[in-house]
């Protein structure tokens, strides 16, 4: 099983089992951004409080890095590229905004990974170059019980454009299916 994470347009994930995107019984598998992870957090657009999307969505990270005006002028894609450059350059505001998001992404994975038990976690999109920050946050709060059962951690890797395994396609299929299910329920 593969778990693919990305934060390009929103906080999203897809689950791939034996090369086939897993949609779940109701098409909601992989709604990673709506795991309520922040205790007493702000209300999310989905109606819950403290969803991962409220602390790690691109618009939130850009605003915390003081790049929301940049995004309005040049577009989100350019603003995310600028954010990534500033993180690499260790610009304080950008690095802080990203590390806060990575912290919550890692905390969410602490709930998701034991539940799904994937072989590999693929971090894609603009998060890819910073996958080590997500993995470090995930590993920072690992339980020490379970007689070694919890020591079996998945490999973390970075998705690359044109990956032959179709991670991007799997993610798109899962996202499209989720949109169709949500549109049908309205």
């Amino acid at each position: 099983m593969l778990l693919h994470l990305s934060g390009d347009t929103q906080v999203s994930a897809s689950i791939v089992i034996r090369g086939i995107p897993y949609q779940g019984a109701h098409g909601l598998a992989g709604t990673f951004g709506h795991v309520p992870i922040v205790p007493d957090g702000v209300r999310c657009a989905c109606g819950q409080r403290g969803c991962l999307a409220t602390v790690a969505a691109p618009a939130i990270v850009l605003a915390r890095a003081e790049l929301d005006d940049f995004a309005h002028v040049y577009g989100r894609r350019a603003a995310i590229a600028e954010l990534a450059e500033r993180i690499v350059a260790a610009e304080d505001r950008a690095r802080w905004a990203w590390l806060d998001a990575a912290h919550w992404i890692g905390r969410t994975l602490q709930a998701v990974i034991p539940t799904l038990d994937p072989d590999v976690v693929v971090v894609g999109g603009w998060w890819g170059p910073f996958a080590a920050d997500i993995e470090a946050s995930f590993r920072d709060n690992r339980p020490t019980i379970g007689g070694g059962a919890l020591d079996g951690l998945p490999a973390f890797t970075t998705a690359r454009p044109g990956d032959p395994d179709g991670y991007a396609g799997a993610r798109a299929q899962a996202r499209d299916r989720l949109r169709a299910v949500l549109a049908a329920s309205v």
Side-chain angles (χ1 to χ4, degrees):
M1 174 190 296
L2 174 145
L3 175 63
H4 183 280
L5 311 174
S6 180
D8 284 355
T9 57
Q10 59 190 355
V11 176
S12 63
S14 61
I15 301 164
V16 181
I17 302 172
R18 293 182 188 95
I20 300 169
Y22 177 70
Q23 300 168 359
H26 302 96
L28 299 175
T31 53
F32 188 66
H34 296 290
V35 174
I37 196 69
V38 182
D40 301 318
V42 300
R43 178 127 0 240
C44 180
C46 76
Q48 298 182 112
R49 288 194 173 276
C51 289
L52 179 59
T54 67
V55 291
I60 301 298
V61 179
L62 289 171
R64 288 184 177 167
E66 298 180 350
L67 287 169
D68 45 354
D69 288 338
F70 188 100
H72 289 299
V73 173
Y74 299 104
R76 184 187 343 222
R77 184 172 291 197
I80 288 174
E82 178 68 19
L83 173 65
E85 287 179 23
R86 289 182 185 193
I87 293 169
V88 169
E91 190 268 327
D92 284 342
R93 189 56 114 165
R95 187 81 179 136
W96 172 84
W98 165 245
L99 288 177
D100 185 61
H103 164 78
W104 291 111
I105 297 164
R107 293 295 297 226
T108 304
L109 286 172
Q110 290 165 353
V112 171
I113 286 176
T115 303
L116 296 177
D117 194 20
D119 298 301
V120 64
V121 175
V122 179
V123 182
W126 81 269
W127 289 358
F130 309 108
D133 295 329
I134 294 171
E135 183 176 10
S137 176
F138 166 71
R139 291 180 184 275
D140 186 49
N141 191 35
R142 297 294 303 148
T144 57
I145 61 170
L150 297 175
D151 292 335
L153 299 176
F156 275 70
T157 188
T158 302
R160 291 170 300 283
D163 254 340
D165 296 314
Y167 302 129
R171 182 182 71 190
Q173 288 177 20
R175 181 184 62 238
D176 292 346
R177 174 71 177 134
L178 174 61
R179 284 183 180 156
V181 168
L182 293 175
S185 68
V186 175

